[in-house]
Amino acid sequence: MGQTLTYKILQKHLVEGELKAGSEIAIKIDQTLTQDATGTMAFLQFESMNIPKVNAELSVSYVDHNMLQDGFENADDHKYLQSAAAKYGVYFSRAGNGICHQVHLERFGLPGKTLLGSDSHTCTGGGIGMIAIGAGGLDVALAMAGRPFYLTCPKVLNVKLSGKLQGWVSAKDVILTLLQKLTTKGNVGWIVEYSGDGVKTLSVPERATITNMGAELGVTTSVFPSDEVTLKFLKAQARDKGWVSLAADDSAVYDKVIEMDLSKIIPMVAKPHSPDNVVCVKDIAGLKVDQVMIGSCTNSSYRDLRIVGGLLKGRRINKDVSVGLAPGSRQVLEMISSDGTLADVIASGARVLESACGFCIGLGQAPRTNAVSVRTNNRNFEGRSGTKSAGIYLVSPETAAVCAIKGEFIDPREAGLSYPKVDEPKSFYIDDGMIIPPADGGKAEIYRGPNIGEPPRLHALPNDLAGEILLKVGDKITTDHIMPAGSRLKYRSNIPKYAEFVFEGIDPAFSKRALETKKKGRAVFIAAGASYGQGSSREHAAICPAFLGVAAVMAKSFERIHAANLVNFGIIPLIFANEADYETINVGGEIKISGVKKAIESGSDVIIETGGKKITLKYNLSDRQRKIIIAGGALV
Ligand code: MIC
Ligand code: SF4
């Protein structure tokens, strides 16, 4: 039986376990990526391991998230990261150089390699044929230390592409169509592998748009073959030395196959407030638009911005629409500035924003009350734009540019405009001057501003737990709900301060109540519905609750990265054996778990006593993870 591409790469990197879907395996990580919002904690954790230098083939520390310097905090964090990179042998991509995933694809990503990044959209690297996985900062710190990464050996879903995209339809519409089909729920434990004749019609940046939003599907990652198109891209980035040809065997057997004819795909949109709330653009034609934001790690490549520039050229943006455009990297910015695209964008009245995450994470460009905000990024969770009442509509660059011109939704194919022709460049503009290479910095001093705290101290699991349920939430709770980003991001390096905002948007008094409960020596419990912890890799959504005394989350199901983060910080992710028991759980209810430690040690179910009855909870933990829970976390 032939092998899938996924298993070929995993096999080469396997250090523990067996390639059997569902069992825990450990793989060697070749490259790591951190960004500033998750990176400060990751580097603090790395420091506490007392290792003189990183042990991965390549580690890059990016500054792209916390770019708004409305106080000393972010600048202090950036300086800390720069000094830590110098000391530990890490490449440092300076503020202004671009969004980690875009820059990594351009300058570092290589087919066949493994990449672990402290950002959920690390999976973007699958566009260049990597097994690229998002994880919590601690897991990435361990990979920097040369330790393997543990994951559940995935099932492989083959998306077989045929045909070719038609004018006005692009890669974003492909992944939105897949999200409509597969939704954001129930895909944990899968890897999506693309194949078929349609693959060769997509450039590497287009493939990367598709793999990027695999994070929204909730899959472990997605991967494209490495072919002539990959070679062409690497040549244009002057990095073709690292190219290898990679594909699944013809006889490979997949766990599931979906066929997609690219020529049948039409312009799509994900309506508020979930990336799987997908309809055809023509279904909402006529809806007035207040804001258009173009950029993010999903859609800010040279190709994407050339399309937008080509449409805005010689036109003025609609008078009722505020338009912003953030190039994904300095490479993209340099190229659109030298070929005249930038001048066309500026002349149209669009606002040019810096090469960073910015609007995507609610740092700036919050729209007006009740706004219809059309964006090319990947997440449209409620409040993510910074305006709770606004709705985010996720679209392709083509649809976004047409909305900017027309002031309302219209199927771009019917807007009466001509489709700009954009060819992949033969060579990209290359200047790595904003990436500081690792020097022999062993003696370099680490800079620590007053914003830099210590990783929290955690405690071993006691024999019994007693406390109360302080919060009950529904399905699809995202890490944005648990640990808000936006203007709160700057407290990332200061756990006690950031913890004040846990569940801020759902229950602003939660943090205070939790701390009071903890002070009384009682444990805090949370009850949740399905897909708890969707979205980002933000380990703060586990660290801060752990700091507040949360001992366990009882949910119908968990998302991959968040479940791993909970374990790393000693919170038990418990799953209702009988989903109907969720209904009987009440906020304020007392909970007792006698012999919790024994149960976890022996791998048996956990029985909680609440409201005079007993409820059985299961968990999906490997032996290794059960040991971590008993120790109280991975860093104790
Ligand atoms: C996001 O898109 O939500 C983020 C901000 O990039 C996060 C990382 C973070 O919380 O810093 C992610 O996707 O992991
Ligand atoms: Fe940045 Fe947005 Fe991409 Fe997250 S999703 S890395 S915030 S651009």
Side-chain angles (χ1 to χ4, degrees):
M1 187 173 88
Q3 250 186 336
T4 63
L5 168 56
T6 303
Y7 275 41
K8 281 188 185 181
I9 302 178
L10 290 178
Q11 180 87 65
K12 272 216 154 130
H13 292 84
L14 195 66
V15 290
E16 259 178 60
E18 221 191 305
L19 284 183
K20 222 175 84 217
S23 65
E24 187 172 76
I25 54 169
I27 55 169
K28 174 183 177 288
I29 294 298
D30 301 322
Q31 301 190 350
T32 71
L33 157 175
T34 49
Q35 42 89 337
D36 51 325
T38 53
T40 38
M41 197 47 68
F43 274 94
L44 286 167
Q45 287 160 346
F46 182 80
E47 274 193 83
S48 72
M49 294 173 201
N50 288 321
I51 292 169
K53 278 231 163 327
V54 287
N55 277 318
E57 270 174 36
L58 171 101
S59 291
V60 192
S61 168
Y62 292 91
V63 175
D64 55 358
H65 277 64
N66 282 342
M67 301 286 279
L68 221 54
Q69 289 168 224
D70 59 342
F72 60 90
E73 293 90 347
N74 290 342
D76 270 348
D77 285 1
H78 300 170
K79 192 76 200 158
Y80 164 74
L81 288 171
Q82 182 169 352
S83 65
K87 186 169 172 83
Y88 295 117
V90 172
Y91 283 88
F92 182 70
S93 174
R94 300 179 61 187
N97 197 46
I99 304 173
C100 53
H101 310 304
Q102 175 71 25
V103 178
H104 207 86
L105 193 76
E106 292 167 353
R107 306 305 306 144
F108 296 108
L110 286 175
K113 298 275 181 192
T114 51
L115 166 68
L116 194 73
S118 61
D119 190 283
S120 63
H121 290 104
T122 302
C123 49
T124 310
I128 202 164
M130 309 183 90
I131 289 290
I133 304 179
L138 177 52
D139 283 334
V140 179
L142 289 166
M144 290 197 288
R147 307 257 287 271
F149 174 64
Y150 290 86
L151 72 157
T152 307
C153 184
K155 289 193 211 155
V156 186
L157 163 64
N158 179 213
V159 175
K160 217 166 162 193
L161 302 174
S162 59
K164 190 176 177 336
L165 292 171
Q166 304 296 295
W168 298 104
V169 181
S170 62
K172 183 64 153 287
D173 301 304
V174 177
I175 188 65
L176 289 176
T177 305
L178 201 59
L179 271 155
Q180 184 183 45
K181 218 182 179 70
L182 298 177
T183 80
T184 56
K185 269 194 345 199
N187 303 316
V188 174
W190 287 82
I191 285 187
V192 182
E193 184 171 314
Y194 292 88
S195 72
D197 275 357
V199 165
K200 63 175 184 301
T201 69
L202 298 167
S203 67
V204 168
E206 289 172 304
R207 296 174 185 184
T209 294
I210 295 173
T211 50
N212 174 279
M213 281 190 81
E216 281 50 66
L217 290 170
V219 294
T220 305
T221 191
S222 309
V223 64
F224 270 87
S226 169
D227 55 9
E228 290 300 312
V229 176
T230 322
L231 176 61
K232 200 172 138 211
F233 176 80
L234 281 169
K235 262 195 187 137
Q237 293 283 0
R239 299 200 296 115
D240 47 313
K241 265 208 195 119
W243 179 78
V244 286
S245 166
L246 286 174
D249 292 331
D250 289 340
S251 56
V253 176
Y254 292 93
D255 297 291
K256 193 173 161 189
V257 182
I258 291 181
E259 311 247 351
M260 266 177 118
D261 181 351
L262 295 174
S263 63
K264 299 246 164 66
I265 291 174
I266 61 170
M268 304 299 274
V269 50
K271 296 194 300 178
H273 297 289
S274 181
D276 60 0
N277 191 12
V278 176
V279 298
C280 308
V281 173
K282 63 176 165 23
D283 291 347
I284 57 166
L287 178 67
K288 293 271 178 269
V289 167
D290 300 290
Q291 187 189 47
V292 173
M293 286 291 141
I294 296 158
S296 90
C297 58
T298 319
N299 274 128
S300 59
S301 64
Y302 176 65
R303 177 253 168 226
D304 288 343
L305 300 199
R306 278 287 307 280
I307 291 278
V308 172
L311 287 166
L312 294 182
K313 187 180 169 83
R315 298 195 169 92
R316 184 53 53 95
I317 56 166
N318 184 280
K319 71 172 181 23
D320 292 320
V321 185
S322 162
V323 181
L325 175 138
S329 66
R330 202 161 144 266
Q331 180 181 80
V332 173
L333 179 57
E334 292 274 9
M335 288 178 69
I336 61 167
S337 90
S338 63
D339 72 7
T341 305
L342 188 60
D344 296 333
V345 171
I346 295 169
S348 75
R351 294 157 70 176
V352 179
L353 309 167
E354 67 178 325
S355 286
C357 299
F359 71 84
C360 175
I361 189 57
L363 279 174
Q365 309 305 319
R368 74 160 173 84
T369 307
N370 297 329
V372 170
S373 177
V374 176
R375 299 178 169 216
T376 64
N377 58 302
N378 45 36
R379 289 189 173 141
N380 58 352
F381 305 143
E382 189 176 10
R384 187 168 163 104
S385 66
T387 303
K388 192 152 189 228
S389 65
I392 303 177
Y393 293 72
L394 305 174
V395 299
S396 68
E398 286 82 347
T399 302
V402 170
C403 287
I405 296 163
K406 301 286 181 187
E408 61 181 35
F409 270 99
I410 174 165
D411 185 324
R413 297 169 300 174
E414 287 157 18
L417 306 171
S418 55
Y419 191 52
K421 186 171 157 24
V422 175
D423 293 323
E424 269 296 284
K426 290 215 165 43
S427 60
F428 287 93
Y429 174 89
I430 294 163
D431 170 9
D432 290 331
M434 292 287 281
I435 302 174
I436 303 176
D440 186 17
K443 288 196 197 76
E445 277 289 306
I446 300 263
Y447 171 87
R448 256 176 256 278
N451 191 42
I452 309 285
E454 294 229 331
R457 297 210 180 289
L458 303 166
H459 307 284
L461 184 69
N463 292 330
D464 310 307
L465 280 171
E468 64 188 270
I469 303 166
L470 288 193
L471 188 72
K472 182 175 177 181
V473 289
D475 289 348
K476 288 190 177 182
I477 290 297
T478 70
T479 51
D480 280 357
H481 288 113
I482 305 169
M483 206 54 268
S487 58
R488 306 299 190 203
L489 265 186
K490 66 180 179 188
Y491 300 121
R492 281 291 176 88
S493 319
N494 181 343
I495 298 301
K497 180 74 194 162
Y498 200 28
E500 289 174 19
F501 308 108
V502 172
F503 285 115
E504 191 190 19
I506 293 182
D507 178 354
F510 173 82
S511 165
K512 224 167 141 229
R513 279 204 324 277
L515 267 187
E516 280 160 11
T517 310
K518 178 182 160 188
K519 269 193 202 126
K520 288 185 210 145
R522 290 165 59 71
V524 176
F525 295 90
I526 294 169
S531 274
Y532 184 77
Q534 275 190 7
S536 108
S537 67
R538 195 168 305 162
E539 64 185 346
H540 295 74
I543 304 179
C544 293
F547 173 81
L548 295 178
V550 175
V553 179
M554 301 171 283
K556 291 185 187 168
S557 63
F558 290 89
E559 291 298 307
R560 174 186 66 89
I561 307 180
H562 186 58
N565 285 337
L566 288 175
V567 173
N568 279 348
F569 294 94
I571 298 180
I572 324 174
L574 294 173
I575 302 165
F576 290 103
N578 176 1
E579 287 198 0
D581 285 335
Y582 165 83
E583 305 304 331
T584 67
I585 295 267
N586 295 318
V587 174
E590 283 279 323
I591 289 212
K592 246 174 79 184
I593 316 182
S594 311
V596 63
K597 189 171 161 196
K598 253 206 192 125
I600 302 281
E601 263 166 2
S602 64
S604 54
D605 291 349
V606 167
I607 313 288
I608 65 164
E609 290 168 56
T610 184
K613 54 185 183 323
K614 291 190 174 175
I615 293 179
T616 305
L617 291 131
K618 302 193 161 297
Y619 44 84
N620 213 343
L621 303 174
S622 65
D623 295 353
R624 182 189 60 88
Q625 287 181 308
R626 288 192 287 121
K627 284 193 189 123
I628 295 177
I629 290 283
I630 289 162
L635 250 198
V636 283

